Amino acid sequence: MTALGKLVRTTVFKLLAMYLVLFVLFAGFVIGYVGWNTRQVIDGQIRDTIEAEIRGLSEQYRVGGIRRLVGIIERRTREPGASLYLVTTFAGEFLAGNVDSVPFEILDRPGVHETFYSPGDELDRRSREAMAHVFVLPGGFRLLVGRDLAERERLNEVTREALLISLGLVTVLACVGGWFIMGRVLKRVDAMTETARTIMAGDLGGRLAVAGTGDELDRLALNLNAMLERINELMTGMKEVSDNIAHDLKTPLTRLRNRAEEALRNATTTEEYARAIEDTIEESDNLISVFNALLTIARLEAGNAPANGAPFDLAETARSVAELYEAVADEALTPVVVAIAPDLVLPVAGNRELAGQALANLVDNALKYGSSGDEKKAIVISARRERDVDGRETAVIEVADRGPGIPEADREHVLERFARLESSRTRPGFGLGLSLVAAVVRMHDGRLTLADNAPGLRVVLALPVAAVSDTIARPPAQGEAATEHLT
Amino acid sequence: MPMRILIIEDDPDAAGYITKALREAGHLADHAPDGLEGYALAREGDYDVLVVDRMLPKLDGLSVIRSLREQKVETPVLILSALGQVDDRVKGLRAGGDDYLAKPYAFSELLARVEALARRRVGPAGEATVYRVGDLELDRLSHNVTRAGEEILLQPREFRLLEYLMRNAGQVVTRTMLLENVWDYHFDPQTNVIDVHVSRLRSKIDKGYATPLIHTIRGAGYMVRDGAR
């Protein structure tokens, strides 16, 4: 596209062109209207003057005859700025006046005419425009009284000039102003386009320039920048995930491959082969669950999580998760104490499934890491309603253990993916549990706090309470006829 | 009793593997490589269970199920999907699926679920008031459980666990099936929570009796079965 073509296509240009046409039409109309009206007024005045003189002169004629009329006219023609006079006989012979010649035929037609004449001036014999009234006096004499129209024509001239000048001026101003505005706007739009291009080319750190004037382009730039910021965050998240996946899945994959290879090399009996294959399947199952956890976290963090908004009872979720883990805890000789009032209801809008998984991860963690040495101490799960610092009502679930806890400096770090404290590297787990909890809490617009239980770890999970508390969707009891009796 | 199973799956490897394994398990398995053919076969053939992949050429899995349900074909459907998220599961079940299994899965899991679905169709016994396996009796209305006439006291959750196992008596029930049907959670608990619950139940049901009724099926799950048979 040529520079001119590009210019013509811009919105600013089209707007300017439209306004230019509008202004020209408007100016033309105003000036034309004023001019036409002025002309009407002037014509009227001239006509009145002529009428008055005709009346006066014919009166003189009636009183003093042709001789008196000629005398008066000769005297009047010598006054400066005089009207035009001509008195002729019936046959058109000149008797008196300051008009040298007029078109012969008008003298035969009484009434008002616009005509040309030559003044009786020796120096200037050019034909001039005039308005003339021809009057037939008794006795056949013709009396012509007229006014030169030069003044009216001059006024026309002035009007025409005014029109041309104003049109020219409007056009020039529009062009100059338009050029200036277009230059500014196009420059900024071009800069934005350029930035967008570099961003598309891969430089996600680029941001649109903001002029700071708060105009519409600034607002647009600010919003686009916010959008870019969000995209950048998501991209960074994606990159982190893929880095972590690459890093943490390669180890078990390598182990998997090594085992299979070793079995191929060394196994001789069917039993040995079978064991190798069983190990391989177990290892792949682990891989699959790591992968699933990663995908869930990534999806939650990408913000397209299934927060379907149906309210569920978080207290019930906590009770059922506690009950799910109670048996394991008993086995591990770590009692789980559920300190949740039986009538407590904590309606939360969101996803019961994910909340349940988050709580399960917390209890699972507490069971894994919450006991120091041989001494087994209880894990306490409690629930309450509480106003948070922003004054929002929140449903709070606390899972507290009496293990070694997490040093304050590490608390932020353990929420990251694959984060595992050095001290726990040797224990089972993938380091995804807490980051999944964090992601679920973020999705529910809640808050996750890791606190000191002195000694031990106290995880506080606070989700905003849903407005409607009476429409809690109970989990469907599949194939269950008499649940009410049980729960 | 062999079942007739239709697998609608476009990946030839996966389809071949499932078909072969189902035949080895004693069932009759057919295969359709795309949605349209699958739909036609499912409408005509008298199948006990359909195994439908979500992403299929020509007609996607959910549309196949929806169309079948509109045609009043009520064959139970197990949806297979690479999408294992909660909302995907909900979408699948809403479209008329009866169960949902995320890829990758263990074949034992697929088999257990397919058999559970087929049984639900074949035997209205699932809705019986009293379940009996050997000398074990479970009354679903009075919540009484007796073995050889002796009453066994169970916690509510233990009752539901036993109820589900007995409803699927003679069938393998996997750990995830138990978690889904007894606790209504679809995630994968990392510790052996289900095993501990089952072993507690077992200690109440089988302890002191000559024939065990709750059996562990290695690499698959559990089964309630009269060992004497």
Side-chain angles (χ1 to χ4, degrees):
Chain A
M1 209 193 299
T2 61
L4 188 68
K6 190 174 143 190
L7 196 75
V8 168
R9 256 169 254 248
T10 58
T11 315
V12 179
F13 181 84
K14 285 173 190 156
L15 267 179
L16 273 173
M18 207 173 75
Y19 272 110
L20 183 61
V21 170
L22 272 179
F23 273 126
V24 164
L25 286 178
F26 180 71
F29 172 76
V30 166
I31 293 173
Y33 181 80
V34 169
W36 187 77
N37 273 300
T38 317
R39 190 188 161 113
Q40 289 301 105
V41 169
I42 290 173
D43 279 1
Q45 276 178 348
I46 292 174
R47 215 170 293 217
D48 289 351
T49 316
I50 294 172
E51 291 304 316
E53 281 201 68
I54 294 255
R55 260 198 312 279
L57 289 173
S58 53
E59 181 62 32
Q60 294 294 335
Y61 172 76
R62 202 175 50 81
V63 174
I66 188 72
R67 197 168 298 278
R68 179 162 181 157
L69 180 66
V70 168
I72 290 172
I73 285 180
E74 278 178 350
R75 198 168 62 247
R76 281 202 188 166
T77 54
R78 284 195 293 275
E79 287 167 11
S83 300
L84 304 172
Y85 302 101
L86 181 65
V87 183
T88 64
T89 62
F90 166 74
E93 281 170 278
F94 178 87
L95 294 179
N98 51 1
V99 176
D100 194 49
S101 74
V102 288
F104 186 73
E105 65 276 7
I106 72 157
L107 290 176
D108 284 336
R109 286 186 285 130
V112 180
H113 304 277
E114 277 196 27
T115 183
F116 292 95
Y117 78 99
S118 301
D121 187 344
E122 296 297 320
L123 297 172
D124 183 9
R125 305 199 67 85
R126 276 178 304 170
S127 163
R128 299 171 74 154
E129 216 181 330
M131 183 186 282
H133 194 162
V134 178
F135 191 75
V136 182
L137 297 169
F141 296 103
R142 305 287 199 269
L143 168 62
L144 179 148
V145 178
R147 295 291 294 188
D148 192 288
L149 288 179
E151 264 175 69
R152 198 188 75 180
E153 288 315 306
R154 224 173 13 255
L155 187 88
N156 272 352
E157 203 64 32
V158 168
T159 310
R160 212 171 296 125
E161 267 171 33
L163 193 64
L164 286 177
I165 288 173
S166 61
L167 294 191
L169 211 61
V170 165
T171 312
V172 168
L173 278 180
C175 288
V176 171
W179 186 260
F180 182 69
I181 295 169
M182 259 193 294
R184 271 175 57 100
V185 171
L186 285 184
K187 210 170 118 190
R188 286 177 66 188
V189 170
D190 282 348
M192 281 180 169
T193 312
E194 192 48 46
T195 316
R197 277 213 190 98
T198 62
I199 292 169
M200 277 188 279
D203 170 30
L204 279 174
R207 291 294 174 268
L208 301 175
V210 177
T213 53
D215 62 3
E216 64 276 22
L217 282 179
D218 263 12
R219 286 207 309 275
L220 184 67
L222 283 173
N223 279 322
L224 287 177
N225 281 345
M227 187 179 87
L228 287 171
E229 199 61 47
R230 180 81 183 117
I231 292 175
N232 200 15
E233 269 170 33
L234 293 176
M235 291 295 289
T236 314
M238 291 280 284
K239 197 177 171 309
E240 265 172 32
V241 171
S242 48
D243 286 356
N244 283 329
I245 290 176
H247 179 258
D248 279 66
L249 291 188
K250 264 184 185 168
T251 320
L253 275 173
T254 313
R255 202 158 55 216
L256 193 70
R257 194 180 183 286
N258 289 348
R259 274 193 194 164
E261 221 171 32
E262 197 193 317
L264 199 60
R265 237 191 0 252
N266 298 333
T268 47
T269 65
T270 318
E271 286 76 33
E272 277 170 342
Y273 274 118
R275 193 171 312 123
I277 289 172
E278 274 166 22
D279 285 351
T280 311
I281 291 175
E282 194 183 322
E283 191 79 49
S284 352
D285 284 349
N286 284 343
L287 267 170
I288 289 166
S289 54
V290 174
F291 200 72
N292 282 341
L294 271 175
L295 278 180
T296 308
I297 295 171
R299 277 184 63 147
L300 289 176
E301 293 192 341
N304 55 3
N308 53 18
F312 63 94
D313 182 4
L314 189 64
E316 182 275 331
T317 311
R319 279 185 213 108
S320 81
V321 167
E323 193 256 12
L324 179 64
Y325 276 87
E326 230 168 5
V328 189
D330 277 3
E331 205 92 323
L333 301 173
T334 310
V336 171
V337 178
V338 183
I340 305 175
D343 57 341
L344 180 71
V345 174
L346 296 173
V348 168
N351 193 305
R352 170 185 178 267
E353 186 76 23
L354 289 168
Q357 189 166 1
L359 291 177
N361 282 3
L362 291 182
V363 177
D364 203 58
N365 269 349
L367 282 171
K368 272 188 202 142
Y369 308 116
S371 45
S372 43
D374 296 333
E375 203 182 349
K376 304 292 182 185
K377 283 178 179 151
I379 293 163
V380 181
I381 302 173
S382 55
R384 61 179 184 275
R385 245 173 215 261
E386 195 179 82
R387 284 209 179 276
D388 70 359
V389 284
D390 303 326
R392 287 190 309 179
E393 203 172 359
T394 56
V396 179
I397 305 283
E398 248 187 52
V399 178
D401 65 49
R402 288 285 178 188
I406 297 177
E408 201 169 346
D410 286 337
R411 282 181 198 152
E412 201 49 33
H413 169 64
V414 294
L415 298 180
E416 290 165 15
R417 287 186 204 96
F418 294 108
R420 297 178 67 190
L421 299 180
E422 270 321 304
S423 55
S424 65
R425 278 273 172 201
T426 51
R427 303 198 201 185
F430 307 109
L432 287 169
L434 272 179
S435 49
L436 187 119
V437 177
V440 170
V441 169
R442 248 199 312 277
M443 180 202 109
H444 283 89
D445 194 20
R447 193 182 302 247
L448 182 68
T449 321
L450 305 185
D452 199 348
N453 200 27
L457 178 67
R458 196 160 53 91
V459 183
V460 185
L461 183 147
L463 306 183
V465 168
V468 254
S469 60
D470 50 351
T471 56
I472 288 180
R474 291 267 169 205
Q478 294 182 2
E480 184 58 61
T483 358
E484 63 281 356
H485 182 86
L486 299 169
T487 45
Chain B
M1 193 182 105
M3 301 180 302
R4 286 174 55 82
I5 301 158
L6 174 64
I7 295 123
I8 312 178
E9 159 74 87
D10 59 325
D11 175 9
D13 281 353
Y17 170 63
I18 303 173
T19 316
K20 184 163 171 279
L22 283 173
R23 285 181 187 147
E24 281 166 9
H27 301 298
L28 303 167
D30 290 339
H31 168 231
D34 64 65
L36 284 181
E37 196 179 325
Y39 172 71
L41 278 174
R43 274 199 71 180
E44 303 308 322
D46 180 27
Y47 291 102
D48 296 308
V49 180
L50 308 178
V51 177
V52 181
D53 187 46
R54 253 191 88 152
M55 297 195 198
L56 288 171
K58 294 186 186 167
L59 187 65
D60 74 279
L62 295 191
S63 306
V64 170
I65 299 166
R66 237 178 258 122
S67 313
L68 284 173
R69 294 297 183 248
E70 275 165 20
Q71 298 297 317
K72 303 288 173 225
V73 178
E74 302 296 342
T75 316
V77 172
L78 171 65
I79 302 171
L80 291 184
S81 173
L83 312 165
Q85 303 294 330
V86 181
D87 49 342
D88 299 319
R89 178 188 303 273
V90 170
K91 267 184 221 151
L93 298 184
R94 225 174 257 158
D98 298 275
D99 201 357
Y100 194 100
L101 188 57
K103 289 178 181 180
Y105 49 83
F107 177 73
S108 53
E109 183 79 42
L110 177 94
L111 183 65
R113 283 168 188 263
V114 164
E115 287 181 343
L117 283 179
R119 214 178 125 83
R120 198 155 95 193
R121 175 172 142 104
V122 174
E127 303 316 313
T129 323
V130 179
Y131 293 157
R132 280 189 196 85
V133 175
D135 53 356
L136 179 66
E137 270 191 28
L138 179 142
D139 189 321
R140 295 174 65 211
L141 292 183
S142 67
H143 286 249
N144 261 342
V145 177
T146 59
R147 179 144 193 203
E150 270 180 67
E151 186 166 354
I152 298 170
L153 288 174
L154 293 182
Q155 300 289 320
R157 195 68 72 173
E158 289 168 345
F159 180 87
R160 289 184 62 179
L161 188 57
L162 183 62
E163 185 190 21
Y164 186 75
L165 283 167
M166 287 181 80
R167 190 150 65 105
N168 292 289
Q171 307 278 325
V172 177
V173 172
T174 65
R175 290 170 181 81
T176 45
M177 282 164 81
L178 286 173
L179 188 67
E180 280 177 30
N181 289 287
V182 179
W183 280 271
D184 194 37
Y185 284 119
H186 299 270
F187 57 82
D188 167 31
Q190 286 180 13
T191 27
N192 54 341
V193 281
I194 302 295
D195 295 334
V196 181
H197 279 281
V198 174
S199 81
R200 282 183 155 195
L201 179 67
R202 180 181 275 152
S203 73
K204 289 192 179 177
I205 302 292
D206 284 342
K207 211 172 187 178
Y209 294 93
T211 42
L213 295 178
I214 302 178
H215 302 269
T216 304
I217 310 298
R218 208 166 171 278
Y222 298 97
M223 188 194 287
V224 166
R225 167 182 57 161
D226 186 0
R229 236 188 326 177

